[in-house]
Amino acid sequence: MSTAKLIYEGKEYEFPVVEGSEGEKGLVIGDLRAKTGLITLDPGYGNTGSCQSSICFIDGEKGILRYRGYPIEQVAERGRFTEVCYLLIYGKRPSVDELRAFREKMNRHTLLHEDMKKFYEGYPPGAHPMAIMAAMVASLSSFYPETPETLDTNIVRILAKSKTLAAFAYKKSVGQPMVYPHNSLSWPANFLRMMFAVPAEDYEVNPVLEEALNLLLILHADHEQNCSTSTMRMVGSSEANLFASISAAICGLWGPLHGGANQSVIEMLEAIIADGGDYKRFIDRVKSGESHIRLMGFGHRVYKNFDPRAKLLKQTCDRVFAKLGINDPLLELAKNIEEHALRDEYFVKRKLYPNVDFYSGIIYRAMGIPTEMFTVMFTLGRLPGWIAHWMEQRRDKESRIHRPRQIYTGETIREFEDRGTKQLPTGR
Ligand code: ACO
C-alpha cells in the first residue's frame, strides 16, 4: 500500500493511500486528528470519500457510468427495471429463473394495507406528492416492523408498494378513485395503469410508454454518493430502519438542486415560453448571476464532460415523440438551449452540460404525468440504489455512525447573565 506524507509545524506524518478497482486513489485520514490535532474541512464534501463501495462507478471526466461493472448504455438497452433492482441490491445479475422468482415475490406485495389508504384522506388538496411519499414510506415502518427475519421481505415490499403509493398520491390529487395493482403486468406497465386507468373504462398500456418508463427507471437507479444516497447512508448509519432511511432520502432528493431539478426544468421552460420564448435573453440573465438564476438541468458535481444518462434520454425523447406522433414545443426549446449553452464560453469554461434531469421531464410530460410528480418518478427509479447502499453499509465492518466535525466560528465563552427570565409567568 502506498502512503502520502503531510508536513505540519515541522513534523512529518504518513498516511496510507487506498486504491479502488478502477485506479481511484484516496488518502486515509481517519486518525489525522489523533495524530496532528487537525481535521479536514471540505464543505459540500466535494473531495471527501465517505465509504468504499462496489455498487456504482462514475468517471465524470469521461462520462462513464456503470452499475456493478455493467455500462449504463448496455443496461439501458437490454435490461429490465426489476432486473436492475436485483443486480444493484444483491450484487449479481439474476438468472432468468431468479428474476422470475424475484418478480413473483414482488407481485405478492404490491397492495397497500387498507388502513394506509385512509392516510391519503388527511392530505389537503394540492399537497405535494413528495411530501406524501416521504410520509407514507415512513409509515410503512409502523405496519412492517424491521427484524433480521423481515428485512428481505421489507426490501421487496418497498420496491413493490412504492409504485402503488405514488399512483394513489396522484389519484388523490385529481380526485379519482384509486386503481389497484394488476400483477400480471410489468413493473412500469402496472404503474402506468394505476396512474391512468379509470374504473369502468378499458385501459391498454401503451408499449412505447412502458418501454420509455423502463428506461427512465433504469437510468435513475443509482448514482453512488449523491445527496439523497448520502442521506440514506447518514440516517442508516444510526441503524434507523430501512423505511425511515428511505423516507429521509426522499426528502434529500426533493430539492431543486438534486432530484427536484426535473420539475424546475419544466417550470423554467414554461416560463421562457410564457415570456415570449427568447431563451438567449434567459441565458444572459443566468450568466449575469441575476437573482442567482441557474439553467436548471445543467451542471453536475461529478460529470465534467457529459452525463451519459442525458445523452440516452435525449435520444429517447426523439424516439418516443416520433412513435407517439406528438410535438412538444418544450422539446424544441430544450434542444435550442442545449445547443446554445454548449457553445457559450460561460458554460464551456465551467464544464456545464445537460444532466439527467434536463430531458427526463419532457418524456414524463409526454406520458401525461403532471410536473409535480416528476420527482416522485425519480424516487421510484432511485429506490434500488438507496437500498443497495443501505445494505452495503450494514455489512461494512468499517461503517460507523456518520458524525462529521466542524470548525467552530461562533462567539468565544461569555456569561449568560441572570435576567430573571425563569421567574416570568409562563405563556409570556
Ligand atoms: N446554471 C448556471 N451556472 C451554473 C450552473 C447552472 N445550472 N451550475 C453551476 N453553475 C456555475 C456556478 O454558478 C459556479 O460558477 P462560479 O464558479 O462563477 O461561481 C460554477 O458553475 C460551479 O458551480 P457549483 O455550484 O460550485 O457546482 P456544484 O458542483 O456545487 O453544483 C449542481 C452542482 C448543484 C448540480 C449545479 O450545477 C446546479 O445547481 N445545477 C442546476 C440544478 C440541477 O440541474 N440539479 C440536478 C443535478 S443532477 C441530479 O441531482 C440528479
Side-chain angles (χ1 to χ4, degrees):
M1 188 185 276
S2 60
T3 58
K5 281 181 183 157
L6 167 76
I7 299 169
Y8 175 60
E9 292 184 335
K11 279 181 83 178
E12 201 173 282
Y13 305 91
E14 205 162 339
F15 296 95
V17 172
V18 285
E19 185 167 342
S21 51
E22 291 284 349
E24 293 183 310
K25 293 190 175 71
L27 189 62
V28 183
I29 47 84
D31 57 359
L32 176 71
R33 187 166 174 275
K35 280 180 169 168
T36 66
L38 297 170
I39 63 162
T40 55
L41 182 63
D42 181 20
Y45 310 128
N47 205 44
T48 296
S50 61
C51 60
Q52 298 193 47
S53 178
S54 61
I55 300 166
C56 180
F57 172 69
I58 303 175
D59 184 328
E61 307 302 326
K62 296 189 185 138
I64 290 174
L65 169 61
R66 294 185 202 133
Y67 294 163
R68 301 266 185 205
Y70 296 108
I72 189 66
E73 294 79 6
Q74 294 176 14
V75 182
E77 191 190 328
R78 301 169 196 162
R80 295 191 74 94
F81 178 58
T82 37
E83 185 181 8
V84 173
C85 290
Y86 192 108
L87 169 72
L88 290 171
I89 295 169
Y90 303 109
K92 71 180 261 282
R93 195 170 174 196
S95 66
V96 173
D97 284 345
E98 283 167 332
L99 182 59
R100 194 174 297 124
F102 183 55
R103 287 182 57 188
E104 272 165 22
K105 201 167 156 193
M106 254 209 235
N107 285 343
R108 285 201 296 274
H109 293 283
T110 52
L111 282 171
L112 288 195
H113 194 293
E114 282 294 301
D115 288 347
M116 280 194 85
K117 266 180 66 187
K118 293 185 198 133
F119 296 176
Y120 286 91
E121 290 163 23
Y123 291 105
H128 198 287
M130 282 296 274
I132 299 180
M133 278 305 278
M136 295 301 270
V137 171
S139 304
L140 285 174
S141 51
S142 61
F143 287 82
Y144 308 105
E146 187 175 296
T147 64
E149 292 73 39
T150 58
L151 179 57
D152 202 48
T153 309
N154 280 357
I155 290 173
V156 171
R157 283 188 174 117
I158 183 66
L159 291 170
K161 291 182 198 301
S162 54
K163 60 180 172 306
T164 318
L165 288 170
F168 280 17
Y170 169 70
K171 287 296 198 194
K172 153 82 189 172
S173 75
V174 288
Q176 288 180 6
M178 289 151 180
V179 175
Y180 282 65
H182 199 310
N183 294 330
S184 62
L185 297 173
S186 71
W187 197 110
N190 204 351
F191 171 74
L192 289 169
R193 187 181 160 278
M194 284 194 279
M195 284 285 287
F196 300 120
V198 281
E201 276 183 31
D202 290 339
Y203 179 82
E204 280 287 319
V205 179
N206 185 329
V208 176
L209 298 186
E210 181 184 354
E211 192 194 319
L213 182 55
N214 181 57
L215 179 96
L216 278 155
L217 293 165
I218 289 177
L219 293 183
H220 285 87
D222 192 42
H223 216 234
E224 48 120 305
Q225 310 307 324
N226 56 81
C227 174
S228 55
T229 305
S230 297
T231 304
M232 183 84 189
R233 282 184 176 260
M234 171 69 83
V235 176
S237 79
S238 74
E239 298 187 2
N241 71 62
L242 180 73
F243 300 129
S245 306
I246 293 175
S247 174
I250 291 173
C251 295
L253 185 74
W254 191 354
L257 297 189
H258 188 19
N262 53 16
Q263 173 172 343
S264 306
V265 168
I266 296 299
E267 287 165 354
M268 173 187 78
L269 296 174
E270 285 173 342
I272 295 172
I273 287 182
D275 202 27
D278 187 351
Y279 62 88
K280 291 180 188 158
R281 188 156 58 92
F282 179 79
I283 291 177
D284 286 342
R285 287 175 62 206
V286 168
K287 285 161 41 179
S288 72
E290 174 202 324
S291 321
H292 305 290
I293 308 174
R294 290 202 158 187
L295 183 54
M296 300 312 286
F298 257 68
H300 198 275
R301 175 64 63 76
V302 182
Y303 292 120
K304 299 299 172 198
N305 185 329
F306 67 94
D307 180 337
R309 303 167 302 173
K311 218 172 167 178
L312 290 164
L313 281 177
K314 190 179 173 187
Q315 293 161 6
T316 307
C317 271
D318 286 332
R319 210 173 44 242
V320 169
F321 279 61
K323 281 189 183 166
L324 296 180
I326 53 173
N327 213 337
D328 185 345
L330 294 200
L331 177 58
E332 209 48 44
L333 176 61
K335 283 183 177 175
N336 286 337
I337 291 177
E338 180 187 354
E339 205 184 312
H340 187 76
L342 293 185
R343 280 191 273 111
D344 188 297
E345 163 79 11
Y346 175 96
F347 296 91
V348 174
K349 202 171 115 205
R350 291 171 178 75
K351 299 187 173 166
L352 301 171
Y353 295 86
N355 58 52
V356 68
D357 287 326
F358 195 63
Y359 286 105
S360 60
I362 297 175
I363 309 182
Y364 292 138
R365 258 167 73 91
M367 288 177 178
I369 292 169
T371 314
E372 283 214 327
M373 280 288 290
F374 290 0
T375 315
V376 171
M377 301 307 294
F378 195 150
T379 299
L380 298 177
R382 185 53 56 88
L383 275 170
W386 289 336
I387 297 167
H389 282 272
W390 190 91
M391 292 294 290
E392 184 178 70
Q393 181 181 42
R394 281 254 157 139
R395 292 192 197 107
D396 183 353
K397 297 215 166 34
E398 285 182 6
S399 175
R400 307 160 74 194
I401 188 162
H402 285 199
R403 200 321 184 172
R405 289 189 177 260
Q406 62 166 16
I407 299 292
Y408 175 67
T409 59
E411 298 283 348
T412 53
I413 188 165
R414 52 183 169 160
E415 182 82 12
F416 190 76
E417 295 148 9
D418 189 352
R419 294 186 184 158
T421 33
K422 271 196 134 177
Q423 279 74 49
L424 285 175
T426 51
R428 289 220 196 144

